[in-house]
Amino acid sequence: AIGLMMLDLLPLLTFKPFVPESDTTAMVDEILNYCQEHYQEPLSLQILAETFHLSRGYISQLFNRKINMSFSYFVNVLRVHKASALIKNSDIKIVDIAEAVGYGSLRSFNRAFMEITNSTPTEYRKIYQKK
């Protein structure tokens, strides 16, 4: 009876595979490289989970443990970093830069940019294009 009950519970359990520390570092490197190559596209824990055949929770833990930031904050930092170079070195419209670095709306881009740089994209451009 207990064996049958365990069979019923088995699909509900999620197993955390044992991964040696060196393998987690390599996995994080692979995930970071993937993000660098695909930052312009939609990026989510679900997409990474499907790409790397890992759970969303496990990937989230990797980011928090190895990089000391959440996945979503990392993506924002990456995108804002790419955007800041475009803002400093071009006259491309801010809305077009936001789209080019993977933001679906100007509002979310402005919010992330302000959070990370403490300035709006327009203020940032004025500061750096004076130099």
Side-chain angles (χ1 to χ4, degrees):
I2 291 178
L4 290 176
M5 188 169 64
M6 291 301 290
L7 284 176
D8 288 340
L9 292 176
L10 198 57
L12 303 175
L13 299 175
T14 53
F15 294 99
K16 184 177 178 184
F18 172 75
V19 181
E21 193 63 27
S22 62
D23 288 352
T24 60
T25 300
M27 180 57 61
V28 169
D29 288 345
E30 278 187 58
I31 292 170
L32 293 177
N33 286 335
Y34 180 89
C35 292
Q36 285 276 353
E37 294 171 11
H38 298 273
Y39 72 91
Q40 297 163 305
E41 304 164 19
L43 274 177
S44 66
L45 286 172
Q46 183 62 42
I47 289 168
L48 292 179
E50 291 168 5
T51 302
F52 292 96
H53 308 290
L54 299 167
S55 75
R56 291 184 318 236
Y58 182 69
I59 294 170
S60 179
Q61 285 178 0
L62 282 177
F63 269 85
N64 289 320
R65 211 173 59 227
K66 298 285 188 176
I67 304 174
N68 293 323
M69 67 177 72
S70 70
F71 169 72
S72 61
Y73 188 74
F74 168 79
V75 171
N76 281 330
V77 168
L78 175 62
R79 288 176 171 166
V80 166
H81 173 73
K82 301 290 187 180
S84 67
L86 291 171
I87 290 170
K88 282 195 271 191
N89 302 312
S90 77
D91 290 323
I92 300 170
K93 292 179 184 175
I94 301 294
V95 67
D96 294 334
I97 290 173
E99 189 177 314
V101 298
Y103 283 94
S105 77
L106 183 59
R107 184 171 184 234
S108 59
F109 172 66
N110 285 335
R111 191 178 321 118
F113 200 93
M114 177 63 107
E115 179 183 3
I116 292 162
T117 67
N118 290 320
S119 70
T120 67
T122 303
E123 292 167 346
Y124 191 85
R125 175 170 272 165
K126 284 178 186 172
I127 291 166
Y128 283 96
Q129 289 195 342
K130 283 181 186 175
K131 295 181 178 181

